[in-house]
Amino acid sequence: MKLVIFSDVHGKKTLLERIMRFNPDADNFLSLGDTEMTLDYLLDLDIIGVKGNYPRDPGLGYEHFMKFNGKKFMLTHGHKYGVQRSLKKLAKKAYQEDVDVVLYGHTHIAQALYCNELLLLNPGSVYRPRNHLNPSYCIMFIDKDGTITYEYRDSETNMVVEVEELKKQMKK
């Protein structure tokens, strides 16, 4: 299964459409908020999305839970969990919900963090990242046995970019 994960498009339809053209074989496109596009537009493109922190941002709500090949996912923009300061509140919610993977946005910074067995992943920002990286998104592959691999891509060139993986031990 191939998931294309993005966040913080901020109304730039051409950037989103480019990512979709780069990935015609994707099984699902997941938006983590701040698209600033209409819900009808997202639904017409079969994009599963959550609301961001912009008042008119469409989506299914502020968080959404789904399963892919036996792995439970939580999608959220992250602002309601204070992700710009810390991921502890978000990780606590994930543990309470028995989630395997949390996908979040808001910070505009691509990051992958493992807390014990929990993966917290931010695809970065399609528009205006807040670090040294170019605009980015993430492609995640989930094998039938539930094995997860992923790679970050430059949203303008589709080239693979390196993003630091962090590992932490956190109390459940």
Side-chain angles (χ1 to χ4, degrees):
M1 172 168 282
K2 179 180 178 180
L3 306 177
V4 175
I5 306 156
F6 59 89
S7 187
D8 299 285
V9 178
H10 292 287
K12 306 299 181 192
K13 286 183 181 180
T14 56
L15 300 177
L16 174 56
E17 290 167 356
R18 181 185 304 146
I19 290 169
M20 294 185 81
R21 280 193 310 274
F22 286 152
N23 297 283
D25 59 338
D27 293 298
N28 289 286
F29 290 92
L30 307 177
S31 170
L32 303 178
D34 281 0
T35 62
E36 297 183 55
M37 296 174 201
T38 68
L39 184 56
D40 286 342
Y41 179 79
L42 296 178
L43 292 174
D44 285 346
L45 295 174
D46 290 326
I47 295 172
I48 299 165
V50 292
K51 289 180 176 282
N53 59 298
Y54 276 77
R56 294 178 301 277
D57 204 40
L60 299 171
Y62 289 110
E63 56 191 43
H64 187 65
F65 296 89
M66 352 180 40
K67 279 197 173 185
F68 297 107
N69 286 351
K71 295 291 185 179
K72 187 173 180 184
F73 281 68
M74 176 182 172
L75 284 63
T76 186
H77 187 59
H79 64 292
K80 297 236 179 228
Y81 294 95
V83 296
Q84 65 275 21
R85 291 181 303 282
S86 169
L87 296 179
K88 286 184 179 181
K89 197 172 178 183
L90 184 57
K92 183 177 179 181
K93 173 70 172 178
Y95 287 132
Q96 289 170 345
E97 298 287 342
D98 197 28
V99 168
D100 300 298
V101 178
V102 176
L103 303 175
Y104 72 99
H106 189 58
T107 65
H108 291 229
I109 297 172
Q111 179 179 21
L113 173 67
Y114 287 92
C115 292
N116 306 323
E117 298 298 317
L118 172 67
L119 170 61
L120 296 114
L121 187 138
N122 187 322
S125 174
V126 171
Y127 181 68
R128 290 192 182 163
R130 294 183 181 144
N131 60 0
H132 66 283
L133 296 176
N134 288 340
S136 63
Y137 71 101
C138 184
I139 298 174
M140 181 176 284
F141 300 95
I142 309 168
D143 292 341
K144 290 182 184 190
D145 68 358
T147 302
I148 295 174
T149 57
Y150 56 88
E151 60 190 25
Y152 287 85
R153 297 283 182 115
D154 184 307
S155 60
E156 294 173 356
T157 66
N158 206 37
M159 299 295 292
V160 175
V161 294
E162 294 297 319
V163 172
E164 182 180 14
E165 285 185 351
L166 305 170
K167 296 187 189 294
K168 283 180 124 177
Q169 294 298 314
M170 188 178 288
K171 292 181 183 175
K172 288 190 178 184

